[in-house]
Amino acid sequence: MAPVKNVCVYCGSGFGGDPAFAEAAATLGRALADAGLGLVYGGGNVGLMGTVAQAVLDAGGHVTGIIPDFLKSRERMLDDIQETIVVGDMHTRKRLMFERSDAFVALPGGIGTLEELVEQLTWAQLGRHKKPILLLSIADFWTPLLTLLDHMRDQGFIREGLELNYLVAKDAAEVIALLRTESTETSPEAEAFVTERF
């Protein structure tokens, strides 16, 4: 079992309608730094993305931001982070975020956050990695998605042998302990798959 050293956080470039979202992002950022875990994220200085990254930095933690060139001005890169990687496209961004992370956490966000989360769930379902995936369902944000996943099971589209493996937390303070209970071992085939996928 490989230990969790770096956590990829997917989240919105906006703040959403509930102040609890930003509070959770800040709590998660501090918890990552306090646990000695690095943050891998989308590189922006806006919304929940900027909040979680700034909280890691303020608590003395390490941040790696990966951002495509076309988003540099729109999402305003966070200049204080230790490592910024500018890439040519979204596919490269997602591949590097996967490669540099041992676990994934989805805070509230929009369609981009959903797309990144579902991609990791799909890869795990297909046996391409065993890295923990956690939905941080602040104020029940992810409940509609969890209901949809249950519906997919009921309708036979998530079948036995193709189960989805994910964790759900409602409190950012629970995240680190939950991630550390899960296996983060990734097969060589998983790395090859991701390289080939893009």
Side-chain angles (χ1 to χ4, degrees):
M1 303 291 178
V4 174
K5 295 180 180 178
N6 294 290
V7 177
C8 179
V9 176
Y10 301 131
C11 57
S13 58
F15 289 103
D18 190 331
F21 300 155
E23 292 169 14
T27 297
L28 177 60
R30 289 190 297 269
L32 289 170
D34 290 347
L37 303 180
L39 169 68
V40 177
Y41 87 119
N45 188 27
V46 292
L48 299 185
M49 281 201 308
T51 300
V52 68
Q54 191 62 58
V56 173
L57 291 172
D58 290 346
H62 188 276
V63 177
T64 298
I66 303 173
I67 191 166
D69 186 69
F70 77 94
L71 281 180
K72 283 194 304 183
S73 59
R74 186 184 307 178
E75 294 187 353
R76 299 196 308 274
M77 294 164 55
L78 189 59
D79 295 328
D80 297 334
I81 66 177
Q82 291 90 344
E83 184 178 18
T84 298
I85 302 171
V86 179
V87 297
D89 53 57
M90 293 291 284
H91 294 302
T92 305
R93 178 198 218 180
K94 290 191 295 179
R95 176 176 60 80
L96 289 178
M97 290 173 81
F98 173 85
E99 290 175 353
R100 287 173 167 259
S101 302
D102 306 303
F104 306 93
V105 174
L107 278 161
I111 195 70
T113 302
L114 178 62
E115 186 260 347
E116 290 168 323
L117 168 63
V118 169
E119 185 167 63
Q120 292 305 333
L121 289 170
T122 302
W123 290 356
Q125 184 188 43
L126 295 174
R128 309 320 295 175
H129 75 84
K130 295 182 180 178
K131 300 179 183 184
I133 302 167
L134 186 144
L135 286 72
L136 185 48
S137 192
I138 303 301
D140 295 319
F141 181 83
W142 291 114
T143 296
L145 175 62
L146 296 171
T147 300
L148 176 60
L149 295 178
D150 286 340
H151 179 63
M152 291 175 175
R153 289 186 191 92
D154 292 342
Q155 297 298 315
F157 289 104
I158 299 176
R159 303 181 299 280
E160 186 175 348
L162 289 174
E163 267 302 321
L164 298 177
N165 294 309
Y166 54 85
L167 304 163
V168 180
K170 294 192 174 187
D171 184 343
E174 303 172 356
V175 169
I176 304 304
L178 286 169
L179 292 179
R180 283 182 164 165
T181 64
E182 294 296 302
S183 166
T184 58
E185 186 175 271
T186 305
S187 68
E189 292 82 3
E191 299 294 348
F193 169 79
V194 175
T195 301
E196 292 165 7
R197 165 66 174 79
F198 297 103

